[in-house]
């Protein structure tokens, strides 16, 4: 837990400036190195930082680092508890707020693939009541009668739109971070095949009138993020005709 250097990705300039052991001590060590570099004390140089024992810096920051890192496993575990809807909604909102802080970006860059998959699954949580729908992937179920026309008419009426809206906003902000997350979200379970479960939720969301008013904008933004890298080409080719039809209909 306290191995901060394996979690936080440091700028390449850190190594170029030769801060000795400072990069291995986390942001606290980097801050200390810069302070010493700017010091006017006689005999102080960047090389002095390499002589600072690691245990000194770790004793200063270990409580703070432990508190930060422990909250993410707990929050991601809650995403799988779909039986408690209010807690699930609050968890999505908290993750979104944490992601709004640029200081947390390095942690979200290492979000596991199974968590990304579960966030996509939250786009399909059925509403409470008898009108729930079971999703059938037409690329897997060869005898599926799920057509795009049927999907467009039934998705809004059957999914929990509050979970969908919050999950989609979180996916947009995650894919804004870097190209690797765009690829991991757009592909299925680390494979090269498109994440059809995601694309089938985005198409009806582009023209939805149920839920938050900015949901169509989030759906369009997420599609734009996915389309910005070549690894998602096949998924975008699959939905481009449907996107054009929706865009020209309003």
């Amino acid at each position: 837990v306290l191995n901060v250097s394996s979690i936080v990705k440091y700028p390449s300039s850190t190594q170029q400036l030769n801060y000795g052991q400072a990069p291995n001590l986390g942001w606290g060590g980097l801050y200390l190195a810069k302070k010493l570099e700017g010091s006017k004390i006689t005999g102080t140089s960047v090389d002095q930082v390499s002589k600072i024992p690691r245990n000194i810096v770790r004793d200063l920051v270990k409580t703070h680092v432990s508190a930060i890192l422990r909250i993410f496993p707990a929050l991601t575990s809650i995403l799988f508890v779909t039986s408690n809807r209010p807690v699930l909604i609050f968890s999505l909102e908290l993750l979104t707020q944490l992601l709004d802080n640029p200081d947390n970006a390095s942690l979200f860059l290492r979000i596991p693939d199974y968590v990304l998959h579960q966030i996509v699954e939250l786009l399909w949580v059925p509403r409470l009541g008898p009108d729930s729908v079971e999703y059938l992937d037409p690329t897997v179920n060869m005898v599926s009668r799920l057509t795009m026309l049927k999907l467009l008419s039934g998705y809004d009426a059957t999914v929990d739109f509050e979970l969908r809206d919050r999950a989609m906003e979180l996916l947009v902000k995650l894919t804004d971070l870097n190209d690797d997350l765009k690829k991991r979200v757009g592909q299925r379970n680390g494979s090269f095949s498109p994440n059809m479960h995601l694309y089938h939720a985005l198409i009806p969301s582009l023209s939805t009138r149920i839920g938050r008013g900015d949901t169509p904008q989030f759906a369009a933004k997420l599609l734009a993020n996915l389309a910005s890298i070549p690894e998602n080409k096949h998924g975008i080719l699959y939905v481009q005709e449907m996107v054009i039809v929706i865009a020209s209909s309003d």
Side-chain angles (χ1 to χ4, degrees):
V1 171
L2 297 179
N3 189 8
V4 183
S5 62
S6 64
I7 298 173
V8 180
K9 183 181 292 185
Y10 300 97
S12 58
S13 59
T14 303
Q15 283 77 17
Q16 293 174 1
L17 293 177
N18 189 21
Y19 283 138
Q21 295 297 325
N24 299 324
L25 300 178
W27 289 115
L30 182 60
Y31 174 78
L32 184 60
K34 290 183 177 180
K35 282 292 185 180
L36 287 177
E37 183 188 27
S39 175
K40 301 300 182 181
I41 300 177
T42 304
T44 300
S45 65
V46 176
D47 295 334
Q48 294 293 106
V49 179
S50 61
K51 300 179 181 180
I52 300 175
R54 292 189 179 188
N55 62 305
I56 293 179
V57 177
R58 289 185 175 180
D59 288 342
L60 292 174
V61 302
K62 65 180 181 181
T63 302
H64 177 67
V65 172
S66 297
I68 292 176
L69 297 184
R70 285 173 181 171
I71 193 174
F72 286 98
L75 286 176
T76 54
S77 297
I78 294 175
L79 295 179
F80 292 84
V81 186
T82 55
S83 59
N84 196 327
R85 183 172 174 272
V87 173
L88 191 57
I89 290 176
F90 291 146
S91 299
L92 287 171
E93 291 178 345
L94 181 55
L95 284 171
T96 302
Q97 291 177 7
L98 291 172
L99 190 53
D100 286 337
N101 188 339
D103 295 336
N104 297 326
S106 298
L107 296 177
F108 281 99
L109 289 177
R110 288 163 173 77
I111 187 170
D113 288 340
Y114 74 89
V115 178
L116 294 176
H117 174 75
Q118 180 60 19
I119 297 174
V120 173
E121 291 297 312
L122 295 180
L123 299 173
W124 287 94
V125 174
R127 286 193 206 178
L128 298 177
D131 57 346
S132 61
V133 63
E134 179 183 0
Y135 176 77
L136 297 176
D137 190 341
T139 64
V140 177
N141 299 275
M142 301 302 295
V143 296
S144 172
R145 295 182 179 179
L146 180 65
T147 63
M148 185 52 61
L149 180 61
K150 188 176 181 181
L151 180 65
L152 287 172
S153 62
Y155 177 77
D156 281 345
T158 53
V159 299
D160 189 326
F161 58 85
E162 292 188 2
L163 288 176
R164 175 203 63 187
D165 296 346
R166 288 166 174 79
M168 191 169 300
E169 180 182 3
L170 182 57
L171 287 172
V172 168
K173 294 185 177 182
L174 283 170
T175 54
D176 280 339
L177 292 178
N178 65 1
D179 289 347
D180 180 63
L181 278 170
K182 293 182 180 69
K183 180 180 69 174
R184 291 163 59 195
V185 170
Q187 297 178 353
R188 183 171 54 190
N189 296 333
S191 65
F192 294 102
S193 59
N195 189 351
M196 293 303 184
H197 212 172
L198 172 63
Y199 289 111
H200 289 159
L202 290 178
I203 294 301
S205 298
L206 289 171
S207 58
T208 183
R209 291 179 174 83
I210 300 177
R212 293 176 3 185
D214 54 359
T215 297
Q217 286 79 10
F218 279 128
K221 173 62 174 173
L222 184 52
L223 274 175
N225 286 348
L226 297 175
S228 64
I229 61 172
E231 290 83 354
N232 292 328
K233 176 182 178 180
H234 297 294
I236 298 301
L237 290 175
Y238 174 76
V239 300
Q240 68 176 359
E241 183 176 348
M242 294 172 279
V243 172
I244 293 173
V245 170
I246 293 174
S248 59
S249 63
D250 294 335

